[in-house]
Amino acid sequence: MRLHRLDITAFGPFGGAQRVDFDALSTAGLFLLHGPTGAGKTSVLDAVCYALYGSVPGARQSGQGMHLRSDHAQPGTRTEVRLELTVAGRRLEITRQPPWERRKLRGKGMTVDKAQTWLREYDAQARAWKDLSRSHQETGTEIEQLLGMSREQFCQVVLLPQGDFARFLRADAEARGRLLGRLFDTQRFSDVEKRLAERRRATEARVREGDAALLADAHRMQQEAGDAMELPELAPGDPGLAAAVLGAAAVARSTARERLAVAHCRLSAAESAHAAARRTLEEARELARLQSRLTEARQRAERLQERAGAHREAQERMARARKAEAVAPALELREAAETEHRRAAAAEARARALLPDSHAGAGASGLAAAARRAAEELGGLDAARRAERRLAELAEERAGLDRQEHADDDVLREADAWLADWDTTRAALQTRIDAAQEAATRAEQLAVQRAPMQRRLGAARTRDRLAADLAQARERARDSGQRALDARAHWLDLKEQRLNGIAAELAAHLTDGEPCAVCGATEHPAPARKVAGHVDRETEDRALAAYQRAEEQHTGDERRLGEVREALAAATAEAGDTPADRLAAEAGELEQEYARARREASALHPAQEELRRAGQEREQRLADRQQAAVRAASRLTRRDTLEREQSLLETELAQARGAADSVAARAAQLERQAARLTDAADAVRAAEDAAQRLKDADARLADAAYRAGFETPQAAAEALLDPTAHRELQHRLDAWQQEESAVRAVLAEPGTAAAAQQPPADPAAAERTAAGAERRLREAASARDAAARCCTELDRLSARAAEAVRRLGPLREEYDRVARLAALTAGTSADNERRMRLESYVLAARLEQVAAAATVRLQRMSSGRYTLVHSDDRTGRGRSGLGLHVVDAWTGRERDTATLSGGETFFASLALALGLADVVTDEAGGVRLDTLFIDEGFGSLDDQTLDEVLDVLDSLRERDRSVGIVSHVADLRRRIHAQLEVVKGRSGSALRQRGVAQGLSAPRPDSPSARSA
């Protein structure tokens, strides 16, 4: 990169138009930029930086360029910087104009013109400039790509600030890291460190979450196991937590199984004790039962002895009854025969009463024959019954066909009516869908407009508020500026008066015989006298302090005015000139239109669903109509078949019914006739049989009474007991016999006799013993069940914990790996012995290159004495990797750069700056830097060192470079002939070129400023 020409207008301290011809200055190789303090030497470099990047270095950039304008400029002069340079073989011209507040062309008040940028390239073939861009962003991107450096890198490489590099020499590793990081753009390595740290925190959180769940299972196991399990005193994320939990779980399971085994043993012992107690209880109960039974048997024997007489009478009565029992069957037979005979005679009379007169006197055989004839006729009606049932089925089927026909007619009418309106319905639904879709599209378009409208409305309200603030800020700035000008003029007047009367002030300190501070004479024949109104130093200092306070106030007011202007310009650019009320109304209308479009669009899905359902209903109705037509054709065929079958069946039934109304009526008639004839025949035969059995029964009864020992059948009947009396008597006899047998059996039992010999039994004590044994058995069983449940639950929780540990294994491995990498790149790992961060490691390599490049020039500047070396040793508790030492060839020792003297520090920092410029240039893609500036520091060098430093700088011409030195050192004005002098005055600063072939010139006629003028 080579600078050719720089044009400055109303920029910084330069109130007018100034030009710097770098081509003329570069012919000498070295040129000097000098001038009084505050004249604007740094502003020349700021102008170069502003032309390239649109901003000035460091804290001098405030606002959006509003403070770059010179306070000495005429109101109608636009601030402008134009730089012509060659970079990457291309000759370019960059023109930039910062924002400018000027008076409105129409009306009153001020307006702000936006910043302007022009980028042109010289076409050697056409010998003319061609426009490339007028965009700030495109121009900035193009220049940064061509230079390969950001603004910070450019300011460190091309505008070498020696003070910064002197601090860089003495800085610690962190400060060096920040500077080198900006120059070499190592943010990506810092991003890698942050990314690894974020991944470490994320995986650590997931591991802690898994460990927390594992600890929760461990706490549940501890609740189950009780004191058999001790949890590890570890927190989630601590190493070894999984192994400790699994180990504690294994110990708990083992202890639980041991407790289960002990519970089993206790349960077995309790069961044995319970069984023994139950046996003892049973034995006590059995002994008590036997003793009670013996006592009861003795009492029962005494009661039997008391009732012995009544028992003998009952035995005699039972003997007579048993004799009469031999006659009882003949008596019962005779009574039964008599009863049956009476019943048969009555049944015969009833049956004959139901018969017609033709059969009233017929015998049993005649009645049976008539019944057989009626039954035969009834059997012939079965076919007629089937025909009659079939005829009813045919009638029902025809009625079903009629109902189906009516239903199909209804379906056809409804389907035809619905299908007739289908086209209208579909068109209406499609119209609704189209309207809803249009509303949805309109809503999307309006949604895009909402946010810009709200921003414009907010900007308009901000604009209106700032417009009022601007007038107040402008008035304050104007008043404070006028006060500052008045205070400055007053101070300068007092200073001029004091200088005019300085002789009288010096004469006041003269003493006879003492040399004069001005001429050295010891005699003072006519010392100057103070005149009226003489200004002393204190008065001048008070005026200066007042001026400085006024200037500070004016600077603050101007800064606040610039901030308000910038905010107003930004708000105006966003909102335009439209009033806020109108924008609010437009925003309200937009919101209403958007809400209305949303409401209309919400009907899209219901309309689509309704159209889909209508289509489905149409298909269903078409199918129903087709099926109804098919069923109608089938019904015609079926109805013809049924009519033919019905005609045949009706003919057959007419023959079978005869005079009856129906086949069923005829069948019922025949059934009643056959039943009556059969019943009458049976009744006649039964009556005849009953009469014969009665006669036989009388003969057998007389014979049975005689054989039993009774004189007459009547005596036998009186001795006979009825069943109830017989049962009662027999029951008394049997009870007596059973009681006597039972008493004898009890008294004869060996166990009962043995029980009588033993002491009285105590079953209550045995029951209490058995109850205690049963209670202990239940407690042992409960303990055994609790131990079993504990083992089961511990096995389940242990399996879940083992599964959780297995699932956490890959995640824990990932966390260990990421944590190890994060600690290694962050410099906190034990494996990173020098505690170097990844970014520091990369910067250490760059610093090593910078030290090597700087040493080449440092050895020449120091006559081969000093060498810069990179050190990666740790400093105190800080991190290593960015140390910088100097090797003194005279002592052969390596020492810290902070031990260098002021002059040594200067040329060491100069060598470091030049070396850094070379390394950054190579890093930027090898862009050649043909113009460099070095700022201050030469006053700390002696003559010999200054010559050596200038020789080194002069050697840069071997690479066709030009170096500009910014310095106050007067000796440099003698040594360097090509000079750019900055001269300051009350109307602003000016530039003068000395010792070059051509000087300053006015701006070219085709410049933007000339065109605007």
Side-chain angles (χ1 to χ4, degrees), residues 222-302:
Q222 187 183 36
Q223 292 175 358
E224 290 294 335
D227 57 357
M229 180 177 181
E230 294 183 0
L231 288 180
E233 295 182 357
L234 296 174
D238 291 348
L241 175 64
V245 169
L246 293 181
V251 172
R253 290 198 306 274
S254 176
T255 304
R257 290 190 178 92
E258 292 177 358
R259 291 180 175 178
L260 179 60
V262 172
H264 274 298
C265 293
R266 290 179 178 174
L267 178 60
S268 299
E271 288 175 347
S272 300
H274 179 260
R278 292 297 299 180
R279 286 194 300 270
T280 303
L281 176 61
E282 292 297 332
E283 291 174 355
R285 287 177 177 173
E286 181 64 19
L287 178 59
R289 184 184 66 80
L290 291 176
Q291 291 177 349
S292 175
R293 185 176 183 183
L294 177 61
T295 303
E296 182 182 0
R298 289 173 178 173
Q299 294 174 356
R300 289 163 62 190
E302 293 176 357

Side-chain angles (χ1 to χ4, degrees), residues 341-417:
H341 179 264
R342 286 195 298 270
R343 186 170 55 252
E348 180 182 5
R350 288 194 300 273
R352 286 186 181 276
L354 296 175
L355 294 178
D357 296 340
S358 58
H359 299 292
S365 59
L367 293 174
R372 284 194 298 272
R373 288 193 300 272
E376 290 174 358
E377 185 179 357
L378 180 61
L381 292 178
D382 289 341
R385 288 195 187 94
R386 291 192 296 272
E388 191 175 35
R389 288 194 298 272
R390 178 57 184 162
L391 188 62
E393 293 175 356
L394 292 177
E396 181 63 26
E397 187 173 357
R398 290 190 64 182
L401 292 176
D402 293 339
R403 290 192 299 272
Q404 189 181 40
E405 183 178 5
H406 293 321
D408 287 345
D409 291 342
D410 294 340
V411 170
L412 288 174
R413 284 194 302 272
E414 185 178 355
D416 292 340

Side-chain angles (χ1 to χ4, degrees), residues 8-297:
I8 304 173
T9 303
F11 183 86
F14 306 105
Q18 305 292 328
R19 169 172 292 182
V20 179
D21 190 348
F22 286 109
D23 287 337
L25 292 172
S26 300
T27 56
L30 288 176
F31 64 91
L32 179 66
L33 175 59
H34 67 95
T37 300
K41 300 185 296 300
T42 305
S43 296
V44 175
L45 307 183
D46 289 347
V48 174
C49 186
Y50 178 73
L52 292 174
Y53 294 97
S55 60
V56 297
R60 295 188 296 278
Q61 174 70 21
S62 61
Q64 297 180 349
M66 298 292 292
H67 295 285
L68 298 179
R69 178 172 175 80
S70 175
D71 294 334
H72 303 284
Q74 296 297 322
T77 302
R78 177 74 184 262
T79 302
E80 179 182 275
V81 175
R82 180 187 294 111
L83 177 64
E84 186 176 335
L85 74 160
T86 298
V87 58
R90 299 170 61 184
R91 184 130 180 177
L92 302 175
E93 181 189 77
I94 308 170
T95 303
R96 292 187 187 270
Q97 295 177 349
W100 179 39
E101 185 181 29
R102 60 172 177 81
R103 294 187 179 275
K104 292 183 179 180
L105 300 179
R106 296 181 179 85
K108 299 181 180 180
M110 306 295 289
T111 185
V112 177
D113 288 342
K114 295 182 179 179
Q116 301 290 333
T117 300
W118 291 270
L119 176 62
R120 302 198 300 174
E121 182 176 6
Y122 184 75
D123 190 349
Q125 296 180 353
R127 295 184 179 181
W129 292 91
K130 62 178 181 179
D131 294 333
L132 295 181
S133 176
R134 296 192 64 174
S135 168
H136 303 300
Q137 184 175 2
E138 291 179 359
T139 301
T141 303
E142 181 72 16
I143 294 301
E144 189 165 344
Q145 288 179 351
L146 290 174
L147 292 177
M149 291 180 287
S150 64
R151 188 193 71 180
E152 290 76 10
Q153 291 176 318
F154 178 82
C155 293
Q156 293 290 344
V157 173
V158 179
L159 311 177
L160 303 179
Q162 295 309 304
D164 289 351
F165 281 95
R167 287 190 296 272
F168 180 79
L169 279 175
R170 297 184 175 89
D172 56 8
E174 295 294 335
R176 288 196 185 106
R178 288 193 295 271
L179 176 60
L180 293 175
R182 291 195 302 269
L183 293 178
F184 293 107
D185 190 19
T186 58
Q187 182 63 34
R188 59 186 183 278
F189 299 102
S190 178
D191 293 341
V192 169
E193 298 176 18
K194 295 178 181 177
R195 175 59 178 164
L196 287 173
E198 291 173 358
R199 284 192 60 189
R200 178 188 61 77
R201 288 191 294 270
T203 52
E204 183 180 7
R206 292 168 60 191
V207 168
R208 287 181 179 274
E209 182 179 355
D211 285 349
L214 184 61
L215 277 178
D217 288 339
H219 283 291
R220 295 191 188 97
M221 285 189 281
Q222 187 183 36
Q223 292 175 358
E224 290 294 335
D227 57 357
M229 180 177 181
E230 294 183 0
L231 288 180
E233 295 182 357
L234 296 174
D238 291 348
L241 175 64
V245 169
L246 293 181
V251 172
R253 290 198 306 274
S254 176
T255 304
R257 290 190 178 92
E258 292 177 358
R259 291 180 175 178
L260 179 60
V262 172
H264 274 298
C265 293
R266 290 179 178 174
L267 178 60
S268 299
E271 288 175 347
S272 300
H274 179 260
R278 292 297 299 180
R279 286 194 300 270
T280 303
L281 176 61
E282 292 297 332
E283 291 174 355
R285 287 177 177 173
E286 181 64 19
L287 178 59
R289 184 184 66 80
L290 291 176
Q291 291 177 349
S292 175
R293 185 176 183 183
L294 177 61
T295 303
E296 182 182 0

